[in-house]
PDB file of all heavy atoms in Angstrom:
ATOM      1  N   LYS A1397     -76.433  76.943  39.707  1.00  0.00           N
ATOM      2  CA  LYS A1397     -76.183  77.754  38.509  1.00  0.00           C
ATOM      3  C   LYS A1397     -75.377  76.976  37.478  1.00  0.00           C
ATOM      4  O   LYS A1397     -75.650  77.063  36.281  1.00  0.00           O
ATOM      5  CB  LYS A1397     -75.471  79.055  38.881  1.00  0.00           C
ATOM      6  CG  LYS A1397     -76.373  80.042  39.587  1.00  0.00           C
ATOM      7  CD  LYS A1397     -75.659  81.343  39.852  1.00  0.00           C
ATOM      8  CE  LYS A1397     -76.597  82.327  40.546  1.00  0.00           C
ATOM      9  NZ  LYS A1397     -75.938  83.605  40.824  1.00  0.00           N
ATOM     10  N   VAL A1398     -74.406  76.195  37.938  1.00  0.00           N
ATOM     11  CA  VAL A1398     -73.625  75.356  37.019  1.00  0.00           C
ATOM     12  C   VAL A1398     -74.540  74.359  36.337  1.00  0.00           C
ATOM     13  O   VAL A1398     -74.472  74.141  35.122  1.00  0.00           O
ATOM     14  CB  VAL A1398     -72.478  74.638  37.774  1.00  0.00           C
ATOM     15  CG1 VAL A1398     -71.828  73.585  36.893  1.00  0.00           C
ATOM     16  CG2 VAL A1398     -71.452  75.640  38.259  1.00  0.00           C
ATOM     17  N   ARG A1399     -75.453  73.763  37.108  1.00  0.00           N
ATOM     18  CA  ARG A1399     -76.406  72.792  36.545  1.00  0.00           C
ATOM     19  C   ARG A1399     -77.326  73.461  35.521  1.00  0.00           C
ATOM     20  O   ARG A1399     -77.582  72.914  34.451  1.00  0.00           O
ATOM     21  CB  ARG A1399     -77.214  72.169  37.681  1.00  0.00           C
ATOM     22  CG  ARG A1399     -77.922  70.901  37.328  1.00  0.00           C
ATOM     23  CD  ARG A1399     -78.596  70.274  38.534  1.00  0.00           C
ATOM     24  NE  ARG A1399     -77.728  70.092  39.693  1.00  0.00           N
ATOM     25  CZ  ARG A1399     -76.861  69.082  39.844  1.00  0.00           C
ATOM     26  NH1 ARG A1399     -76.758  68.181  38.901  1.00  0.00           N
ATOM     27  NH2 ARG A1399     -76.123  68.973  40.928  1.00  0.00           N
ATOM     28  N   LYS A1400     -77.816  74.672  35.817  1.00  0.00           N
ATOM     29  CA  LYS A1400     -78.686  75.390  34.883  1.00  0.00           C
ATOM     30  C   LYS A1400     -77.958  75.734  33.592  1.00  0.00           C
ATOM     31  O   LYS A1400     -78.509  75.603  32.499  1.00  0.00           O
ATOM     32  CB  LYS A1400     -79.195  76.689  35.521  1.00  0.00           C
ATOM     33  CG  LYS A1400     -80.388  76.541  36.391  1.00  0.00           C
ATOM     34  CD  LYS A1400     -80.839  77.914  36.844  1.00  0.00           C
ATOM     35  CE  LYS A1400     -82.045  77.846  37.733  1.00  0.00           C
ATOM     36  NZ  LYS A1400     -82.480  79.176  38.161  1.00  0.00           N
ATOM     37  N   ILE A1401     -76.714  76.176  33.723  1.00  0.00           N
ATOM     38  CA  ILE A1401     -75.928  76.533  32.534  1.00  0.00           C
ATOM     39  C   ILE A1401     -75.691  75.298  31.671  1.00  0.00           C
ATOM     40  O   ILE A1401     -75.866  75.344  30.448  1.00  0.00           O
ATOM     41  CB  ILE A1401     -74.597  77.190  32.947  1.00  0.00           C
ATOM     42  CG1 ILE A1401     -74.852  78.575  33.535  1.00  0.00           C
ATOM     43  CG2 ILE A1401     -73.638  77.280  31.775  1.00  0.00           C
ATOM     44  CD1 ILE A1401     -73.656  79.205  34.217  1.00  0.00           C
ATOM     45  N   ALA A1402     -75.314  74.191  32.279  1.00  0.00           N
ATOM     46  CA  ALA A1402     -75.062  72.958  31.528  1.00  0.00           C
ATOM     47  C   ALA A1402     -76.330  72.464  30.834  1.00  0.00           C
ATOM     48  O   ALA A1402     -76.296  72.072  29.659  1.00  0.00           O
ATOM     49  CB  ALA A1402     -74.511  71.886  32.455  1.00  0.00           C
ATOM     50  N   ASN A1403     -77.462  72.488  31.541  1.00  0.00           N
ATOM     51  CA  ASN A1403     -78.729  72.082  30.916  1.00  0.00           C
ATOM     52  C   ASN A1403     -79.118  73.021  29.788  1.00  0.00           C
ATOM     53  O   ASN A1403     -79.614  72.593  28.753  1.00  0.00           O
ATOM     54  CB  ASN A1403     -79.840  72.020  31.960  1.00  0.00           C
ATOM     55  CG  ASN A1403     -79.788  70.766  32.779  1.00  0.00           C
ATOM     56  OD1 ASN A1403     -79.409  69.709  32.293  1.00  0.00           O
ATOM     57  ND2 ASN A1403     -80.156  70.878  34.042  1.00  0.00           N
ATOM     58  N   GLY A1404     -78.915  74.323  29.993  1.00  0.00           N
ATOM     59  CA  GLY A1404     -79.241  75.303  28.955  1.00  0.00           C
ATOM     60  C   GLY A1404     -78.412  75.109  27.707  1.00  0.00           C
ATOM     61  O   GLY A1404     -78.928  75.170  26.582  1.00  0.00           O
ATOM     62  N   ILE A1405     -77.124  74.863  27.867  1.00  0.00           N
ATOM     63  CA  ILE A1405     -76.256  74.649  26.707  1.00  0.00           C
ATOM     64  C   ILE A1405     -76.606  73.337  26.016  1.00  0.00           C
ATOM     65  O   ILE A1405     -76.555  73.241  24.790  1.00  0.00           O
ATOM     66  CB  ILE A1405     -74.776  74.712  27.126  1.00  0.00           C
ATOM     67  CG1 ILE A1405     -74.413  76.162  27.474  1.00  0.00           C
ATOM     68  CG2 ILE A1405     -73.854  74.185  26.034  1.00  0.00           C
ATOM     69  CD1 ILE A1405     -73.036  76.383  28.010  1.00  0.00           C
ATOM     70  N   ALA A1406     -76.993  72.334  26.774  1.00  0.00           N
ATOM     71  CA  ALA A1406     -77.389  71.059  26.183  1.00  0.00           C
ATOM     72  C   ALA A1406     -78.639  71.195  25.327  1.00  0.00           C
ATOM     73  O   ALA A1406     -78.816  70.477  24.348  1.00  0.00           O
ATOM     74  CB  ALA A1406     -77.612  70.017  27.269  1.00  0.00           C
ATOM     75  N   GLU A1407     -79.517  72.144  25.674  1.00  0.00           N
ATOM     76  CA  GLU A1407     -80.780  72.303  24.955  1.00  0.00           C
ATOM     77  C   GLU A1407     -80.718  73.323  23.811  1.00  0.00           C
ATOM     78  O   GLU A1407     -81.679  73.446  23.058  1.00  0.00           O
ATOM     79  CB  GLU A1407     -81.875  72.693  25.939  1.00  0.00           C
ATOM     80  CG  GLU A1407     -82.184  71.582  26.925  1.00  0.00           C
ATOM     81  CD  GLU A1407     -83.105  72.023  28.038  1.00  0.00           C
ATOM     82  OE1 GLU A1407     -83.522  73.197  28.043  1.00  0.00           O
ATOM     83  OE2 GLU A1407     -83.397  71.193  28.912  1.00  0.00           O
ATOM     84  N   LEU A1408     -79.602  74.050  23.678  1.00  0.00           N
ATOM     85  CA  LEU A1408     -79.499  75.041  22.599  1.00  0.00           C
ATOM     86  C   LEU A1408     -79.464  74.351  21.241  1.00  0.00           C
ATOM     87  O   LEU A1408     -78.837  73.304  21.089  1.00  0.00           O
ATOM     88  CB  LEU A1408     -78.219  75.873  22.761  1.00  0.00           C
ATOM     89  CG  LEU A1408     -78.196  76.952  23.824  1.00  0.00           C
ATOM     90  CD1 LEU A1408     -76.817  77.596  23.882  1.00  0.00           C
ATOM     91  CD2 LEU A1408     -79.243  78.008  23.551  1.00  0.00           C
ATOM     92  N   PRO A1409     -80.111  74.937  20.232  1.00  0.00           N
ATOM     93  CA  PRO A1409     -80.019  74.381  18.880  1.00  0.00           C
ATOM     94  C   PRO A1409     -78.595  74.521  18.328  1.00  0.00           C
ATOM     95  O   PRO A1409     -77.820  75.368  18.782  1.00  0.00           O
ATOM     96  CB  PRO A1409     -80.994  75.224  18.061  1.00  0.00           C
ATOM     97  CG  PRO A1409     -81.598  76.207  18.978  1.00  0.00           C
ATOM     98  CD  PRO A1409     -81.006  76.075  20.317  1.00  0.00           C
TER      99      PRO A1409
END
Side-chain angles (χ1 to χ4, degrees):
K1397 288 184 179 180
V1398 170
R1399 197 175 308 280
K1400 276 185 180 180
I1401 290 169
N1403 281 327
I1405 289 175
E1407 294 171 1
L1408 284 176

